Amino acid sequence: MENKLHIHREIQRIFESEPATKKLTKGDIIYYQGDKAESFYYLKKGRVRVYMTSPDGVEKTLSTATQGEILGEAAFFDKMPRVSSASALTSTELVAINEPKLVTLIKESPQLALELLEIQATRIRQLSTQIDAMTFLQADGRIAQLLLQSAHTEDGKQTVSLTHEEIASTVGVSRVTVSNILNDFAKNGYVKTKYRKVVVLNTNALEEIAGV
């Protein structure tokens, strides 16, 4: 599991050099489900929750984005209304990329287009995996799979920057269930739980539980 910032080097190089166009505090909305997408975003700093809201107001977390990730690109590219909302979980800085800006950047660096396509392919694969997990995996398998997908390198360790509530909302179980399963994982030496974080200690064990 390589650090996301190292996987898409051209995206990092280009977008990190751009000034932040949006600065938000915890709870601020970046975009709403149903909005027209005039731009997509590069997350320079902070953490962002991406979620869907059902007609009766129930929210379902789809993912939690961290530094170096792209947000809201699907609706931007297909010109359809956004299917999800996004809100800041911490102080957050974003770079907004509209169509004229993107065309200019791709002309300067065609590799950028390839990396954006790779992100789209990865999103589709992750969504398919998430649907399969919700359908076929038990709660521990779904949690193990989410930890594997969300881990990034921090201080030389594979770290998941998600709270128990965020994990519960993403995999569709209660917070108590998440806490119990993570406690079991910790007792077996698979993970170490910290404040608002989970450190992955045994990738192979989690892959076996997730059926990877």
Side-chain angles (χ1 to χ4, degrees), residues 4-173:
K4 297 168 188 172
L5 295 179
H6 294 161
I7 295 174
H8 303 111
R9 292 179 177 85
E10 197 64 4
I11 285 177
Q12 181 191 18
R13 182 186 71 81
I14 292 173
F15 292 157
E16 283 292 332
S17 65
E18 294 287 323
T21 50
K22 276 182 176 287
K23 295 185 178 182
L24 306 99
T25 58
K26 181 178 179 180
D28 287 348
I29 300 296
I30 300 164
Y31 55 78
Y32 284 102
Q33 185 173 326
D35 283 353
K36 181 179 179 181
E38 301 288 351
S39 61
F40 66 95
Y41 301 94
Y42 174 81
L43 181 52
K44 290 192 74 170
K45 175 185 175 183
R47 296 169 59 239
V48 170
R49 176 186 177 225
V50 180
Y51 60 96
M52 296 180 70
T53 306
S54 69
D56 57 356
V58 177
E59 294 182 356
K60 161 70 175 171
T61 299
L62 301 177
S63 64
T64 301
T66 56
Q67 180 188 358
E69 292 194 64
I70 299 295
L71 302 169
E73 78 287 349
F76 172 81
F77 286 120
D78 71 11
K79 308 301 182 186
M80 298 292 288
R82 296 193 185 278
V83 297
S84 62
S85 302
S87 63
L89 290 170
T90 63
S91 295
T92 297
E93 294 183 6
L94 298 163
V95 178
I97 308 295
N98 59 22
E99 188 168 327
K101 181 67 173 178
L102 181 61
V103 170
T104 299
L105 292 174
I106 289 176
K107 285 180 179 178
E108 295 172 354
S109 175
Q111 178 66 25
L112 176 62
L114 294 176
E115 291 188 3
L116 288 170
L117 286 171
E118 181 183 341
I119 287 174
Q120 284 296 289
T122 300
R123 293 267 202 257
I124 293 170
R125 183 180 296 275
Q126 288 178 340
L127 179 60
S128 176
T129 300
Q130 191 174 19
I131 292 172
D132 287 345
M134 294 293 288
T135 304
F136 300 112
L137 288 181
Q138 298 296 322
D140 59 347
R142 282 141 63 184
I143 291 171
Q145 188 174 88
L146 178 63
L147 295 178
L148 292 168
Q149 290 178 345
S150 304
H152 62 279
T153 303
E154 183 177 303
D155 298 328
K157 299 177 182 179
Q158 290 299 309
T159 303
V160 179
S161 299
L162 296 172
T163 65
H164 290 197
E165 290 87 351
E166 290 162 359
I167 294 172
S169 179
T170 302
V171 302
V173 299

